[in-house]
Amino acid sequence: TLLKEWAKNGQLNMPVVMMSGHASIDTAVEATKIGALDFLEKPIALQKLLSTVDRALKHGEMQMAAGLSFDKLGNSPVIQEFKQQLEPAVKKSGPVLLSGETGSPFEIVARYFHKSGTPWVGLSRVELIADAPLELLQKASGGTLYLGDAAQYSKNIQNGIAFLLEKADRYNVRVIASCGFKRGESADDVVAGRLAELLKERINVPSLRSQPDDIVFLINRIMTDLAESQKIQPVKFSDSALVVLRQYDWPGNYDQLAETVKNIMLESDGK
């Protein structure tokens, strides 16, 4: 029951090993389908217990190394279909432009392209794209370089991105950029010229209003992340509050939802 609750609310973010003295094969299969890493039946031999815990710890380390995971976006049909659309692009090695409405979870999606055990490099300062492009590529050698929202950058910075893209193969770096646009626009409206030619692989990220069934999941996931990373006390949302949040059309998308949840947690004092 607890495992189901964690999975439903987006709180199953650690390896879980189930154990029971009254287990059946059906129970074990159900638990692993829900998300348990393993299921042990008592009495448990010490060596079996130690090896299982060791595997769970290594699994947890791999999850942490991978950073933000794709399952943070929800599990509705819209997101499942989006994940299937991503699979062919993930298997390639060329640069990718993630496009979508402003506030879309571009970095979460970008990390889906990142291979575990290789460098992941973001930008500490946007100016580095123009001032030290080769330094960025060296740092990301063999891994992924995430450049953020290219649509917001000056012409000079966009020229720097074009230079990076031309040199990326030499350093075996996969470059991921994003492009946020207003409703009614498209990536072509805000990214043009040489940059558009180099970023031919385009992937459109779904808007938050297209996945209302994920709102409750996302709220709980965001609360869990904030409780862990910033030690902010989670709160209880009433059913009527959740209905309001589900029905809202979120013009600021995922970023607006995350900011809203954070503000509510800060202002409600754990109530």
Side-chain angles (χ1 to χ4, degrees):
T1 303
L2 181 58
L3 189 68
K4 283 180 180 176
E5 186 178 317
W6 282 345
K8 179 182 176 182
N9 294 334
Q11 295 169 302
L12 192 55
N13 54 4
M14 79 295 281
V16 173
V17 176
M18 305 287 287
M19 63 179 182
S20 172
H22 307 280
S24 66
I25 291 181
D26 289 344
T27 310
V29 169
E30 184 187 8
T32 50
K33 279 184 177 178
I34 294 169
L37 184 70
D38 206 341
F39 196 107
L40 303 177
E41 189 173 356
K42 299 176 186 176
I44 306 163
L46 180 59
Q47 194 54 47
K48 172 72 172 173
L49 180 62
L50 291 174
S51 63
T52 303
V53 171
D54 184 57
R55 188 163 68 89
L57 290 171
K58 287 177 180 174
H59 181 79
E61 288 169 0
M62 286 172 59
Q63 285 183 317
M64 289 177 67
L68 297 167
S69 58
F70 190 81
D71 62 5
K72 289 196 172 187
L73 295 183
N75 44 34
S76 66
V78 169
I79 292 302
Q80 293 304 318
E81 184 181 345
F82 177 53
K83 186 176 179 180
Q84 289 178 355
Q85 292 172 356
L86 277 179
E87 292 295 348
V90 169
K91 294 173 183 175
K92 300 176 186 177
S93 58
V96 175
L97 179 68
L98 304 173
S99 63
E101 293 181 3
T102 303
S104 296
F106 295 123
E107 185 171 346
I108 295 176
V109 178
R111 285 186 180 267
Y112 192 63
F113 288 83
H114 179 229
K115 294 179 181 177
S116 180
T118 66
W120 166 272
V121 176
L123 296 176
S124 56
R125 290 187 301 111
V126 172
E127 291 76 19
L128 291 173
I129 295 174
D131 298 341
L134 295 181
E135 191 177 310
L136 282 174
L137 288 171
Q138 287 171 352
K139 192 174 179 182
S141 182
T144 307
L145 176 60
Y146 178 60
L147 300 177
D149 193 345
Q152 305 298 319
Y153 300 155
S154 67
K155 194 69 177 175
N156 184 44
I157 299 294
Q158 290 197 8
N159 287 337
I161 293 175
F163 177 80
L164 276 170
L165 291 167
E166 290 172 348
K167 303 292 183 184
D169 282 347
R170 187 182 301 177
Y171 293 87
N172 190 26
V173 171
R174 183 160 205 183
V175 179
I176 311 287
S178 58
C179 169
F181 49 79
K182 297 175 184 176
R183 287 186 187 180
E185 291 183 333
S186 71
D188 292 328
D189 295 322
V190 286
V191 175
R194 187 166 158 221
L195 194 58
E197 291 176 15
L198 291 165
L199 287 166
K200 290 178 181 176
E201 183 82 55
R202 305 279 183 91
I203 294 173
N204 195 47
V205 180
S207 64
L208 188 57
R209 69 181 178 280
S210 71
Q211 49 176 134
D213 292 343
D214 286 321
I215 294 295
V216 176
F217 173 93
L218 290 171
I219 288 170
N220 283 294
R221 194 73 195 240
I222 291 165
M223 276 205 295
T224 300
D225 288 346
L226 288 169
E228 290 179 356
S229 63
Q230 300 185 31
K231 307 302 178 189
I232 304 174
Q233 190 173 352
V235 299
K236 174 70 176 174
F237 284 83
S238 67
D239 290 342
S240 57
L242 291 173
V243 168
V244 171
L245 294 169
R246 275 174 54 89
Q247 292 177 345
Y248 187 58
D249 69 353
W250 300 105
N253 289 286
Y254 184 90
D255 288 354
Q256 184 186 10
L257 175 64
E259 189 64 22
T260 299
V261 172
K262 182 178 181 179
N263 288 338
I264 289 170
M265 289 172 71
L266 289 171
E267 293 170 8
S268 63
D269 194 26
K271 296 178 183 177

